[in-house]
Amino acid sequence: MKITADLMNFRDLNEQVRAAEDSHIEIMNCIGQRYIASGLSGKTVTIHGTPGNALGAYLNNCRIDVFGNAQDATGDTMNGGTIVVHGSCGDAAGYAMRGGKILIKENTGYRAGIHMKAYKDKIPVLVVGGKAGSFLGEYQAGGLIIVLGLNLSEGESPVGNFCGTGMHGGKIFIRTKEPPRNMPEQVLVMEADENDLKEIEAYIDDFCKEFNVSKNEIYNEKFYLLVPNSKAPYKQLYAENLN
């Protein structure tokens, strides 16, 4: 089924998507319509243009491909499925996601992966091909965040300020020559070893396949791993520390 969005009201567009009997829905000329495919299961949605906020919110067993950029809160609280963005995302991509996978070819804004969490076999994964803005992984409780830092200028950091603030679970992998600076004290930073990289190999493979990127290019640079310091998970978050 093909839908031309143009200036269609987002409610009308979403009603058509939900009511569609076809398993594959193609949306043409998307111009900022919100909540596309929210809570959707069992369908594939291909979007040409720029979907608005909360694309794929509460997504279940569904795949979304965006040939363009996406706005804020992509994959908000998604439970499962896959979102592939052939461009960049705005702020709060993967906010509170509980499962599934988001692959972003280029960059994402502030607070990506905030409040991500995992439960049993549900492990949410967010992969950013370029750079992520400040507060990446803020209050992260579970899941994997991978920032590849591709196509950046010399000396440009793949992450912004306050990365991992309040982090108390999950892992953040950052591909970069130098360890990320100014990390909060509740985060431990170490160079990823071979076993660490095995944990994310399947997701790197997915990224390379979706965006036609050389796997050798990915692995020609170091990865640094950020994990919460279980001995002091909230140190530096309060005005005073009581020892």
Side-chain angles (χ1 to χ4, degrees), residues 136-174:
L136 174 72
E138 186 179 30
Y139 304 118
Q140 184 181 355
L144 300 172
I145 299 175
I146 305 165
V147 181
L148 298 177
L150 297 171
N151 303 316
L152 302 187
S153 302
E154 183 68 29
E156 186 176 9
S157 174
V159 297
N161 298 320
F162 313 112
C163 180
T165 299
M167 181 184 186
H168 54 282
K171 297 178 181 180
I172 300 175
F173 289 82
I174 303 173

Side-chain angles (χ1 to χ4, degrees), residues 14-69:
N14 287 319
E15 285 177 5
Q16 288 193 37
V17 171
R18 283 193 292 270
E21 295 182 359
D22 292 353
S23 60
H24 184 195
I25 301 162
E26 189 170 15
I27 300 174
M28 310 300 296
N29 200 26
C30 186
I31 310 177
Q33 285 87 354
R34 295 172 284 170
Y35 311 123
I36 295 175
S38 59
L40 202 65
S41 298
K43 293 183 179 180
T44 298
V45 180
T46 302
I47 301 172
H48 300 271
T50 304
N53 291 356
L55 168 72
Y58 305 101
L59 193 71
N60 289 302
N61 182 25
C62 182
R63 178 182 169 108
I64 302 172
D65 290 278
V66 180
F67 290 91
N69 299 320

Side-chain angles (χ1 to χ4, degrees), residues 80-121:
T82 300
I83 301 176
V84 180
V85 180
H86 293 257
S88 295
C89 282
D91 296 340
Y95 177 91
M97 66 184 295
R98 301 178 289 202
K101 181 173 56 183
I102 300 175
L103 306 178
I104 303 169
K105 182 179 181 180
E106 296 176 5
N107 307 319
T108 192
Y110 295 164
R111 289 189 161 88
I114 178 175
H115 288 300
M116 280 177 63
K117 60 207 70 177
Y119 180 70
K120 294 186 178 179
D121 62 341

